[in-house]
Amino acid sequence: MGNRTLLLLVLVLFSELVATVCGYEYEGRQKERKSEQRTQGEKWFLLRQLHNVVKTDAGSMRMVKGGYRAGSFLHSPMHIGFISMEPNSLFIPQYLDSDLVLFVHHGEARAGHIYRDELAERSLKQGDVYTIPAGSAFYLENRNENQRLRIICSIDITSESMGWNAFQSFFIGGGVHPASILAGFDHTTLSTALNVSTAELKTFLTSQTSGPIVHLSSSHYSNIWSKFLAQEPHQKLAYLKRIVNFGEESNPKEEKSTWSLRKFLFTLLNREDVVERVNHKAPSTYNLYNRNPDFENNYGWSKALDESDYSPLKLSGNGVYLVNLTSGSMMAPHVNPRAIEYGVVLKGTGRIEIVYPNGTLAMNARVREGDVFWVPRYFPFCQIASANGPFEFFGFTTSARRNHPQFLVGQNSLMQSLTGPEFAAAFGIGEKRLNRIVNAQSEQIILPSSSPDSPMKMNMGFY
């Protein structure tokens, strides 16, 4: 009996040892799996790969790409672009196969584009939002002599785009670099269409070598742009009307030296009735900084702009928002039932937490100025400011309609709306205990947080 008892004891101890080891191995695998999941989540939801779209001495355009994720159901249908322009520079006329929503982060700009067959020009200042539809010829100018211009823009990846992972610029102005779309036509055909000699056409199409963003104070080509941009809109259109009617008040020498966007755009439009109708129908800008907060408490504020506030957003189908959190506070966990959300960190540091539909943590990432993140529709998420200062982020949504985010916790949240025996049963607790938990938070939307945050790691910048 003694040996049997001893053997039984050894077997029990061995079984417990095996169970303990297996438990440790299981927990280790679970931790590894969660760590891998969070790492994968950062790769999906943080858009940190900046790509140069345009880069010249006068400025640059950089972009983080959306698109489909290989082997995943996740789809990010928007690129985020960062335009930086040196003082006294021009982003030469072009049109895109994607809608643009522009937000002036720093500086002042002059935007000109074709709106309903008219040349519309708008002055943009810091905080302004402006839209440019796909296919609308436009240019951007930084007239300031001492200040760099910085613009954040959304670039929709539409079904009509050239590809899901790119957008395409069609440069109207151009030369050797970039090539104008005019250069693709047979020169005999084009010289006939424009009613100029092939020699003059060749000079016209090969003078520009400075790239898509040019200094307005340097080359002869740039000086032509400067003269054009210096005129008032009605003067530009009046001049266009005169020169399109060849022979009326025309000077061959002057006409030869002033070949530029003026003649080309008006030739394309082939309109003689637009001179008296300048700008008054084109949309105005909307300044997000001047807007009163839609929600505000001691822990921060938020602003959201939709088509009911700014009708041009209806054409692009996008919304715009701006959030400022005080140090240590958080935007309560919530869900966007109508739109995918993109965010760009403008100031400070913080964390972004995103949850998968199965209730596991998809991402808990530290972010700082210059980081771009996106959150799929329906995915729960929250933003938390670090303890060392305010946290401000700006962004776009993929719906121009009012978003109506559903907050999961806090006053006036889904948890309070769903309280009752059914909800308590879903958690396996009593109704009184559920009510005590649900009502413990007295704040709503933006909440205080006592959790400390560690210093952020260095990361890429905007422009």
Side-chain angles (χ1 to χ4, degrees), residues 9 19 23 25 40 46-47 61 79 91 100 135 138 143 156 203 271-272 286 292 327 353 375 395-396 416 429 432 456:
L9 181 60
E25 289 180 352
Q40 190 63 42
L46 283 185
L47 305 177
M61 180 176 182
H79 303 316
F91 206 155
L100 282 181
F138 74 96
R143 289 186 173 183
D156 282 341
T203 301
R271 296 288 298 272
E272 298 182 5
Y286 190 105
N292 291 326
S327 58
E353 293 190 21
V375 185
F396 304 95
Q416 288 200 331
I429 60 176
K432 287 184 178 180
M456 304 297 114

Side-chain angles (χ1 to χ4, degrees), residues 83 101-111 122-130 140 147-153 285-289 320 346 394 396 463:
I83 299 172
V101 179
L102 306 175
F103 172 72
V104 181
H105 180 211
H106 180 75
E108 297 179 351
R110 184 80 172 172
R122 290 289 178 261
S123 295
L124 309 179
K125 62 181 182 298
Q126 186 168 321
D128 275 350
V129 175
Y130 197 64
L140 293 171
Q147 190 176 48
R148 182 178 293 172
L149 170 66
R150 292 175 176 173
I151 291 176
I152 302 173
C153 59
T285 61
Y286 190 105
N287 194 275
L288 196 56
Y289 289 149
V320 175
L346 300 182
F394 160 85
F396 304 95
Y463 304 98

Side-chain angles (χ1 to χ4, degrees), residues 194-196 200 239-240 243-244 246 255-256 258-268:
L194 293 175
N195 195 26
V196 297
E200 183 178 357
Y239 183 83
L240 293 176
I243 65 171
V244 79
F246 296 103
E255 191 170 82
K256 183 175 181 179
T258 55
W259 256 117
S260 69
L261 175 68
R262 294 176 284 188
K263 183 177 292 185
F264 171 62
L265 282 182
F266 203 74
T267 304
L268 275 184

